[in-house]
Amino acid sequence: MNSKRDTLMSKVFSTPSTNLEIPRVNGTESIVKMLNAFELNEKGVTFWGKETAYCAFKLVKTVGELVTTISQLINSAETSILFVAHPSFNLFSMGGFGEHFRCAAARGVRVRGILNIYPTNVLVAREYFSCGVELKHKDHYCGMTMVIADGKRSVNLIYTYLKSTLSLDEQVAALWSDSTTQAEFLTNAFEMTWTQAINAEEHIDQQLKRERHDETFPEHTDKTLSIRRHTAARQPSLTRS
Amino acid sequence: MAKGTIIESVKDALAVGSNIIESAKSEIVWLLPLSIVIFAAQYGIPNKSKTLIEHGGHIKSIFHISSQYVELAQSLLDIGENLRHLDQYEGVFFLVGDKKQSISSIHVNVEDLSLDDRIVAFWSEAPTYAEYLLTHFDQAWAQGVGAQDRLNELLEQRP
C-alpha cells in the first residue's frame, strides 16, 4: 500500500503527458483528497468523478437507480437509518423497502422514519411498524425526501412528484452522497422534522376514531379521509418499461 | 470545503450567499423565500448582483412576488435580473454560483423569519451538487411566470 501511495505521489507531481489517466493537482488538500480516493478505490469503492479523483456526490437519474441506491443504503446500514418522504414521493409506498427495513431492524439497526400518513398509504405505514420501524406522521411536509445511513451516506431528492404507475426508467433528480457533512446537514433537517412530527400509531388511531364518529354522525363525514375505504383501494405500482 | 459546510444562522447564510455572488464570474441562479430576499435587499446584496451583471454576468431568480413587494421585484428587474414569480412553492431554497458554489436550505420558516433564527443550510463547492440544484431550478423556472407579467397583474389589482 505504501509503495502504491509513493507511486501515486510521484505521478501527482509528474507531467500529465506521461500519466494521462491521473490529473495533475496543486495544493495539499487536493493531494490528500486524491490519496483518500485512492485508498477508497482499493477497498472496492467506485470512482465517481473524472475531474477530481473522487467525488462525494453522484447524481441519480432514474427511478431504477434510485430504488437500487435506497436499497443499498438500507442494506449497508450498521447502526441507524433515517428516512423522510415528501407526500408526493410515493416510491416508499411501492418500492418494496419493507423487507429491507425488516432485515435492518433484525440486525440491530435503529430505523426511524417520517411519512405523511393518509388513507392511501396507511397499509404501508402499518407494514413499516411490523418491520420494526419507529414511524412518525408529519402533516404537510414540504422538504426533501431523504434516506441517511449511519450518519454517513445519504440520498435525497427535491422534485418528488412521481406517477402512480411508475417506470424504472423514469427520470428523477436525486443525489447520492457519502459526505458526512451532507449527512449531518440532512440529519439536522430530519431531527427538526422528527420533533414536529407525531406518533404515527396515534395518528392512525385518531383517524379511525374520527371515521367511527363520522359513521355515527354521517352529516359531518369528510368523504376524502376514509382510511378503511382507501386501504381497500389499489396501491400504486412499479413497472419495468 | 470540498464536501460542504453546514450553516446554522440566517446571518451566516446571507454572508455566504453574498460571497458566492461576489465571487461569481458569469452566472447566479437563486430560488429563495421572500423573507430572505427582503433581508438581502436590506444588506445591499443586490448591489453585488448589479456589479456582476455590469461585468457581463447573468442572474436568473425566482421568488414569490406578493403585492406588498412589487417595488422590490421591480428593483431586481431594473438591475437586469431575469426574474420569475412562483406561486405556492414548497421545497428547498438555494443559490448557485457559476454552476459550482451553492448554498441550500431545507427548513426555512418562510412566514416569520428573523435574522437570529436557526436554520440548517449547506454550503458546497461541488459541481455535482450544483448540478443537482440546477436541475430543480429548471423545473421551478418552467413552472414560474415572468416577473413583469406578475407585476402588471398585481398593479392592476391595486386600488
Side-chain angles (χ1 to χ4, degrees), chain A residues 9-29:
Chain A
M9 285 293 281
S10 67
K11 285 179 178 176
V12 166
F13 291 105
S14 62
T15 56
S17 58
T18 55
N19 298 285
L20 293 173
E21 289 180 7
I22 298 180
R24 286 189 77 182
V25 292
N26 292 311
T28 314
E29 187 187 343

Side-chain angles (χ1 to χ4, degrees), chain B residues 20 38 49 63 66 75 96 105 107 114 138-139 146 157-158:
Chain B
I20 292 173
I38 294 167
S49 302
F63 80 101
S66 66
S75 69
V96 181
S105 177
H107 285 267
S114 82
D138 290 342
Q139 291 166 344
Q157 289 168 6
R158 279 190 172 175

Side-chain angles (χ1 to χ4, degrees), chain A:
Chain A
M1 175 67 205
N2 285 339
S3 63
K4 285 181 182 175
R5 235 178 200 236
D6 291 341
T7 309
L8 185 70
M9 285 293 281
S10 67
K11 285 179 178 176
V12 166
F13 291 105
S14 62
T15 56
S17 58
T18 55
N19 298 285
L20 293 173
E21 289 180 7
I22 298 180
R24 286 189 77 182
V25 292
N26 292 311
T28 314
E29 187 187 343
S30 298
I31 294 166
V32 170
K33 208 188 314 177
M34 181 171 274
L35 291 173
N36 287 341
F38 182 66
E39 286 182 0
L40 285 167
N41 194 42
E42 284 211 326
K43 290 173 190 166
V45 177
T46 313
F47 276 86
W48 297 113
K50 285 179 181 173
E51 289 178 12
T52 55
Y54 174 76
C55 182
F57 300 100
K58 184 196 175 236
L59 289 175
V60 176
K61 294 181 176 176
T62 67
V63 169
E65 282 178 27
L66 185 59
V67 170
T68 305
T69 304
I70 293 174
S71 301
Q72 284 176 349
L73 277 180
I74 300 169
N75 293 338
S76 66
E78 294 175 348
T79 57
S80 69
I81 295 166
L82 308 175
F83 70 89
V84 55
H86 190 282
S88 64
F89 181 74
N90 45 30
L91 202 56
F92 269 99
S93 310
M94 63 174 97
F97 299 123
E99 278 311 304
H100 296 298
F101 283 136
R102 190 187 303 279
C103 292
R107 62 177 187 271
V109 176
R110 186 183 182 198
V111 186
R112 289 189 290 157
I114 303 166
L115 290 176
N116 184 354
I117 299 169
Y118 46 93
T120 51
N121 69 358
V122 73
L123 278 182
V124 177
R126 285 187 160 157
E127 184 194 351
Y128 286 173
F129 286 140
S130 73
C131 295
V133 175
E134 296 170 42
L135 197 64
K136 282 197 173 186
H137 160 80
K138 176 79 173 77
D139 263 336
H140 309 300
Y141 175 74
C142 59
M144 282 180 179
T145 293
M146 63 180 92
V147 182
I148 309 149
D150 298 334
K152 293 174 187 166
R153 300 171 306 285
S154 63
V155 65
N156 71 81
L157 72 161
I158 302 173
Y159 186 69
T160 56
Y161 176 74
L162 298 171
K163 297 173 201 163
S164 58
T165 300
L166 198 61
S167 161
L168 289 169
D169 299 323
E170 184 150 332
Q171 299 280 306
V172 291
L175 188 78
W176 171 93
S177 174
D178 70 352
S179 155
T180 50
T181 314
Q182 168 75 355
E184 190 185 341
F185 164 63
L186 297 174
T187 301
N188 272 326
F190 175 89
E191 294 295 354
M192 286 168 79
T193 311
W194 183 259
T195 308
Q196 295 162 1
I198 60 169
N199 182 288
E201 276 183 302
E202 284 174 15
H203 172 71
I204 293 170
D205 288 345
Q206 280 170 8
Q207 290 288 319
L208 286 168
K209 274 182 197 164
R210 186 173 153 186
E211 262 188 50
R212 283 191 207 104
H213 177 268
D214 288 343
E215 281 169 7
T216 312
F217 305 100
E219 67 273 20
H220 299 301
T221 302
D222 178 354
K223 290 189 171 66
T224 63
L225 283 173
S226 168
I227 284 182
R228 275 175 277 184
R229 183 153 32 89
H230 278 88
T231 51
R234 185 173 167 270
Q235 292 291 309
S237 61
L238 194 60
T239 63
R240 188 180 292 278
S241 62

